[in-house]
Amino acid sequence: MIKDKLLHSLEISGLIAAYLENRLPEADRLLLEQWMDANTENRKLVEELAAKATQLKQTGITTPPVNVTAAYERFREKAGVHRQQHQRRKVYAVAATVAALVAGTLSVFLWKHPQQQMAVKQPQHRQEEILPGTRKAELILGNGSRVALGATADTTFASASNINIRQRQGVLSYGSNGNTTGEAEYNTLRTPVGGEYALTLSDGTRVRLNAASSVYFPAVFTGKQRVVEISGEAWLEVSQRAGQPFIVKVRGEEIQVLGTSFNVKAYPEETAWETTLVTGAVKVGKGDNAILLKPGRMATVSDGHMKESAADLEAVTAWRNGNFVFHHASFGEIFTVLARWYNIKVMYDAGMQPNSNYFTGTVERNIPVGELLKMMEMTGLAKFHVEGNVITVLPYK
């Protein structure tokens, strides 16, 4: 017999989600029926979720927030469902929108009905929310002066060489004085941890910096090449200009561009760096060691070695669309990204390792980190303790 008080909200939601997708075998269906029969509100809830799921499918909403596969398997273990060793283990992949609907609704339902779950421990003190990053950066001009940049100010000022610079709603734009000869003044735009910013260069090329990143560039392009230098992560949409190729320098290597959009990820603390091509064509490296990328491909460079592979474009470009996208990502991979955006530090409890457990899902970047952690907890793979800006990863018990 199912013991409802032992079931976590998402564990039961995993069973319901599989049911709503018609992926629940008969033996598991009996378990769900027992839970529904135990309380009239349980059955009413499932009926309401089924109606909402049908409505979502009809409207075509398909935004995936979390993967409930692990939670479903965890439910099976707690419910005492065992399979013959010779049977092939099946994983019930549910539609993500339905999974989110189930998880969110059940969380609220079981919170209001404590008799249906284990007692929830209340925090001893109020934890200040850790908010997401914002549009902020620092501009360092050629004469060494520094300008703090934000999201709301609308100002115009001049560079050390009298090039007009405009800041408007989190975007920095460089005008052109028509002078393409002589020595160029180089500026640096850099974002802190918890910041991002956008830049339009004098040739119309657009650069968007992720958190803890920088671009070193001329106030106006002169000479036979347009050259910029990237550290951290940046998205570039390069303006075509015949006879003046665009070059991106990354850790001593070069990316040669001909009118294209691509992503560069080259954080100093990471051994490897990579560039991913979305449109156009880029050539990564020099001489015989260079790789010519086609759209949908990426080049990874580590210790002087370069390799080409297929790119996960959804995950690579998610940040510029205001999302986190994780495909089978480990704790370490996830928290490396979150640490830069939320300005947090991460610790692991005994038995919890950065390369353990994997998550799949899409979450907006504009939510407090606490909300994101709750979604991750609902998979049943881990729990999180937050104190100040330190997050500790704990076993889910």
Side-chain angles (χ1 to χ4, degrees):
M1 178 178 180
I2 295 178
K3 298 181 179 180
D4 290 343
K5 64 180 182 179
L6 296 178
L7 300 179
H8 183 273
S9 60
L10 191 67
E11 293 165 352
I12 208 66
S13 76
L15 193 67
I16 297 175
Y19 164 73
L20 295 178
E21 285 296 300
N22 296 318
R23 297 176 179 269
L24 200 62
E26 189 61 31
D28 298 337
R29 188 181 296 270
L30 293 176
L31 294 175
L32 181 59
E33 285 290 344
Q34 290 177 23
W35 184 80
M36 293 167 63
D37 291 339
N39 188 300
T40 55
E41 292 212 18
N42 292 0
R43 182 171 295 279
K44 181 180 178 181
L45 176 66
V46 174
E47 292 173 352
E48 290 177 353
L49 289 172
K52 290 179 181 178
T54 299
Q55 182 180 6
L56 284 176
K57 291 177 182 178
Q58 291 174 346
T59 58
I61 299 175
T62 58
T63 304
V66 292
N67 185 350
V68 299
T69 301
Y72 176 73
E73 292 301 324
R74 186 176 177 80
F75 167 80
R76 297 181 58 81
E77 292 174 5
K78 280 193 175 182
V81 180
H82 303 288
R83 305 184 180 189
Q84 299 295 326
Q85 291 184 357
H86 66 273
Q87 287 184 312
R88 181 179 179 182
R89 184 173 180 175
K90 297 180 180 178
V91 177
Y92 297 93
V94 302
T97 302
V98 176
L101 172 68
V102 174
T105 305
L106 279 170
S107 294
V108 174
F109 173 78
L110 293 178
W111 182 269
K112 293 180 179 178
H113 300 79
Q115 72 275 14
Q116 299 296 325
Q117 63 172 8
M118 298 173 61
V120 178
K121 294 183 179 179
Q122 299 294 336
Q124 298 299 314
H125 59 86
R126 179 179 175 83
Q127 164 69 36
E128 292 296 326
E129 284 189 326
I130 299 176
L131 300 177
T134 59
R135 290 286 183 93
K136 56 186 175 182
E138 180 183 51
L139 176 66
I140 305 174
L141 299 173
N143 60 8
S145 60
R146 298 168 183 264
V147 181
L149 305 174
T152 57
D154 188 355
T155 58
T156 301
F157 54 97
S159 71
S161 55
N162 293 320
I163 302 298
N164 290 329
I165 306 172
R166 183 179 185 183
Q167 178 191 212
R168 184 179 183 183
Q169 297 181 345
V171 179
L172 196 67
S173 301
Y174 275 66
S176 176
N177 61 4
N179 178 23
T180 58
T181 63
E183 185 176 351
E185 173 207 344
Y186 273 79
N187 294 175
T188 299
L189 178 67
R190 65 184 185 187
T191 55
V193 172
E196 67 173 4
Y197 220 77
L199 166 69
T200 301
L201 299 173
S202 62
D203 67 338
T205 292
R206 293 185 288 181
V207 181
R208 183 168 173 179
L209 293 180
N210 204 346
S213 303
S214 67
V215 55
Y216 179 68
F217 61 97
V220 60
F221 289 107
T222 62
K224 297 180 179 179
Q225 296 180 332
R226 294 171 289 164
V227 181
V228 301
E229 211 169 310
I230 297 290
S231 178
E233 186 167 19
W235 169 263
L236 294 92
E237 296 178 7
V238 177
S239 176
Q240 294 190 36
R241 180 175 286 185
Q244 196 179 29
F246 197 96
I247 307 294
V248 179
K249 291 187 176 181
V250 183
R251 296 189 193 177
E253 296 286 354
E254 291 185 356
I255 303 171
Q256 301 178 42
V257 185
L258 288 175
T260 189
S261 59
F262 63 105
N263 196 80
V264 176
K265 185 181 178 185
Y267 284 101
E269 65 272 20
E270 295 181 354
T271 303
W273 68 271
E274 60 190 40
T275 184
T276 304
L277 182 65
V278 178
T279 62
V282 297
K283 185 178 181 181
V284 184
K286 303 174 184 177
D288 296 335
N289 194 37
I291 294 176
L292 182 62
L293 290 182
K294 294 181 179 180
R297 306 290 293 180
M298 66 184 295
T300 303
V301 184
S302 179
D303 295 329
H305 300 287
M306 192 178 305
K307 69 175 182 178
E308 180 185 354
S309 60
D312 184 348
L313 292 183
E314 182 184 19
V316 169
T317 63
W319 70 271
R320 62 177 288 269
N321 297 318
N323 296 318
F324 297 115
V325 173
F326 301 116
H327 291 157
H328 200 62
S330 67
F331 282 135
E333 292 169 329
I334 291 173
F335 281 110
T336 294
V337 173
L338 299 187
R340 295 187 185 116
W341 186 235
Y342 290 99
N343 193 16
I344 57 175
K345 297 180 180 179
V346 182
M347 300 178 64
Y348 295 88
D349 192 52
M352 304 301 289
Q353 302 297 327
N355 61 350
S356 64
N357 292 322
Y358 295 88
F359 294 83
T360 293
T362 297
V363 183
E364 293 183 358
R365 295 206 327 163
N366 63 356
I367 63 174
V369 74
E371 293 184 23
L372 191 154
L373 295 178
K374 287 178 183 178
M375 284 190 256
M376 292 176 66
E377 279 190 350
M378 286 192 296
T379 65
L381 294 178
K383 297 190 74 172
F384 307 97
H385 174 74
V386 181
E387 187 167 348
N389 73 330
V390 179
I391 296 174
T392 303
V393 184
L394 303 165
Y396 190 98
K397 295 179 180 179

